């Protein structure tokens, strides 16, 4: 087995364990490269079919191409697509772009609060109707207990403290110091009732692993990751007021792989273009303790 085969095998194993252990299971899909690789792995794990819903939290400030890509792939792969949103905050203009909040509190309102209330079923969920291509109010309000997330340990500091099966309390709050040991591929999946579990199939993948796998598998990825002729591309995707491209002439997956192998970004954090990270003391631990992705 080469490195990618070993990573793929481990991730597929984690996905199947999660499906076996947790009745109410969903996968978060941010539309970025990591969660799209995770989606691809889920299709492999279950022979072309994803047997659980995909949840996307729409802040309404995503780059438009991201939403277009989301819906095209959801229809193509016949995904059970769920969208959640903090509609009240948007209606009241309690956001950073409207000048009412700083970036951290905007993330908390539009991402953390929206995610927690979408997962619990407290706020309305929208489900993609594959016949009409439109989103309609979902009648299912059952809480989602197991949540599959595309976090990687090397991406930023707080993610390196996660486990493959990482417990949260009833409010989705994360106690960093109370994480179960995971030795020799032995995973704790038996938690007290009411515990909310985050599952991380990509924990041991690196940025280079992700791009090499995209190249090997020919995974369809949004063109935002590539230079469109202006010498810039996105290395990490988020809301457009807080996400900035990097200088790069990589025009395709092979170029990105070569760029990473050359070490161009060796001393530049992957999320260096994400402004909210800088406002959270250079990381996301504050937000993630409260339920952020």
């Amino acid at each position: 087995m080469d490195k990618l085969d070993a990573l793929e095998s481990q991730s597929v194993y984690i996905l199947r364990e999660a499906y076996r252990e947790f009745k109410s299971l969903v996968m978060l899909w941010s539309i970025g490269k990591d969660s799209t690789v995770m989606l691809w792995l889920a299709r492999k794990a279950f022979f072309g079919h994803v047997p659980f819903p995909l949840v996307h939290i729409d802040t309404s400030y995503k780059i438009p191409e991201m939403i277009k890509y989301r819906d095209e792939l959801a229809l193509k792969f016949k995904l059970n697509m769920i969208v959640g949103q903090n509609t009240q905050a948007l209606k009241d203009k309690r956001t950073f772009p409207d000048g009412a909040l700083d970036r951290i509190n905007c993330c908390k309102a539009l991402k953390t609060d929206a995610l927690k209330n979408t997962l619990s079923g407290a706020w309305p969920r929208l489900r993609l109707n594959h016949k009409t291509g439109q989103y309609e109010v979902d009648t299912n309000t059952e809480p989602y207990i197991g949540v599959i997330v595309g976090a990687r340990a090397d991406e930023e500091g707080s993610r390196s403290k996660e486990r493959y099966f990482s417990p949260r309390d009833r409010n989705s709050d994360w106690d960093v110091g109370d994480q179960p040991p995971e030795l020799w591929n032995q995973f704790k999946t038996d938690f007290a009732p009411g515990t909310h579990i985050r599952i991380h199939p990509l924990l041991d993948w690196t940025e280079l692993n992700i791009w090499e796998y995209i190249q090997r598998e020919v995974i369809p990825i949004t063109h935002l990751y590539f230079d469109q002729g202006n010498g810039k591309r996105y290395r990490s995707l988020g809301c457009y007021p807080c996400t900035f491209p990097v200088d790069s002439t990589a025009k395709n997956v092979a170029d990105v792989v070569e760029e990473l192998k050359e070490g161009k970004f060796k001393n530049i954090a992957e999320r260096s273009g994400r402004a909210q990270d800088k406002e959270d003391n250079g990381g996301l631990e504050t937000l993630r303790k409260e339920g952020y992705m």
Side-chain angles (χ1 to χ4, degrees):
M1 236 187 235
D2 67 13
K3 178 66 173 178
L4 290 182
D5 286 335
L7 288 169
E8 178 189 73
S9 178
Q10 175 80 335
S11 297
V12 165
Y13 170 59
I14 295 297
L15 287 164
R16 288 174 175 167
E17 282 292 291
Y19 184 63
R20 183 171 70 93
E21 294 291 340
F22 302 106
K23 177 185 175 184
S24 185
L25 183 69
V26 294
M27 176 184 286
L28 299 187
W29 187 27
S30 70
I31 316 169
K33 64 187 185 304
D34 300 318
S35 60
T36 301
V37 163
M38 191 169 64
L39 167 60
W40 190 266
L41 289 163
R43 295 179 74 241
K44 276 203 167 187
F46 302 103
F47 309 101
H49 167 65
V50 181
F52 35 75
L54 269 72
V55 169
H56 177 243
I57 300 303
D58 187 0
T59 64
S60 86
Y61 291 107
K62 297 297 184 184
I63 302 169
E65 290 91 335
M66 294 173 66
I67 303 302
K68 182 174 182 289
Y69 167 81
R70 177 196 72 189
D71 292 343
E72 286 176 352
L73 213 59
L75 291 169
K76 179 180 178 180
F77 289 165
K78 296 180 172 57
L79 304 174
N80 184 359
M81 192 73 228
I82 303 292
V83 169
Q85 192 173 63
N86 189 340
T87 54
Q88 194 61 51
L90 292 169
K91 180 181 178 181
D92 296 341
K93 297 187 180 299
R94 290 187 293 107
T95 72
F96 168 75
D98 289 306
L101 300 175
D102 60 21
R103 285 188 170 95
I104 293 298
N105 282 298
C106 182
C107 274
K108 184 178 184 301
L110 299 188
K111 294 182 180 178
T112 305
D113 292 349
L115 176 63
K116 289 164 69 170
N117 285 283
T118 298
L119 294 178
S120 71
W123 290 0
R125 301 166 177 159
L126 299 179
R127 182 184 296 268
L128 178 62
N129 183 323
H130 283 256
K131 292 182 179 178
T132 65
Q134 302 298 311
Y135 283 88
E136 303 169 351
V137 175
D138 188 9
T139 57
N140 176 25
T141 58
E142 178 186 12
Y144 297 130
I145 303 301
V147 183
I148 303 168
V149 185
R152 299 187 346 258
D154 78 321
E155 191 176 359
E156 57 86 28
S158 68
R159 286 174 164 90
S160 66
K161 301 175 184 179
E162 291 282 12
R163 297 292 189 267
Y164 274 107
F165 292 87
S166 180
R168 266 69 169 168
D169 66 16
R170 291 177 182 272
N171 299 315
S172 296
D173 293 336
W174 180 39
D175 183 349
V176 182
D178 184 25
Q179 296 292 292
E182 294 183 336
L183 306 173
W184 305 292
N185 280 348
Q186 301 298 307
F187 305 110
K188 178 178 172 60
T189 56
D190 183 18
F191 296 95
T195 305
H196 170 88
I197 309 299
R198 297 284 178 92
I199 299 120
H200 302 105
L202 301 181
L203 208 56
D204 289 337
W205 293 60
T206 65
E207 183 183 10
L208 178 57
N209 294 151
I210 291 291
W211 280 108
E212 287 178 327
Y213 191 72
I214 290 170
Q215 184 179 36
R216 189 184 85 173
E217 301 287 310
V218 196
I219 299 173
I221 211 82
T222 173
H223 73 270
L224 293 167
Y225 284 113
F226 309 122
D227 172 26
Q228 301 299 306
N230 61 352
K232 293 184 179 294
R233 69 176 183 86
Y234 287 95
R235 193 175 170 202
S236 177
L237 294 177
C239 296
Y240 59 78
C242 301
T243 307
F244 307 102
V246 297
D247 293 328
S248 169
T249 56
K251 292 181 168 57
N252 52 49
V253 176
D255 287 350
V256 173
V257 169
E258 187 60 31
E259 194 174 64
L260 291 172
K261 285 183 174 179
E262 289 175 353
K264 175 178 178 177
F265 297 114
K266 181 178 180 181
N267 298 313
I268 303 173
E270 185 177 349
R271 290 175 60 96
S272 59
R274 305 287 285 272
Q276 72 269 36
D277 291 29
K278 297 179 178 65
E279 293 190 9
D280 193 13
N281 297 316
L284 288 174
E285 191 158 318
T286 303
L287 282 168
R288 298 192 79 245
K289 283 179 179 178
E290 297 176 353
Y292 186 83
M293 290 163 273

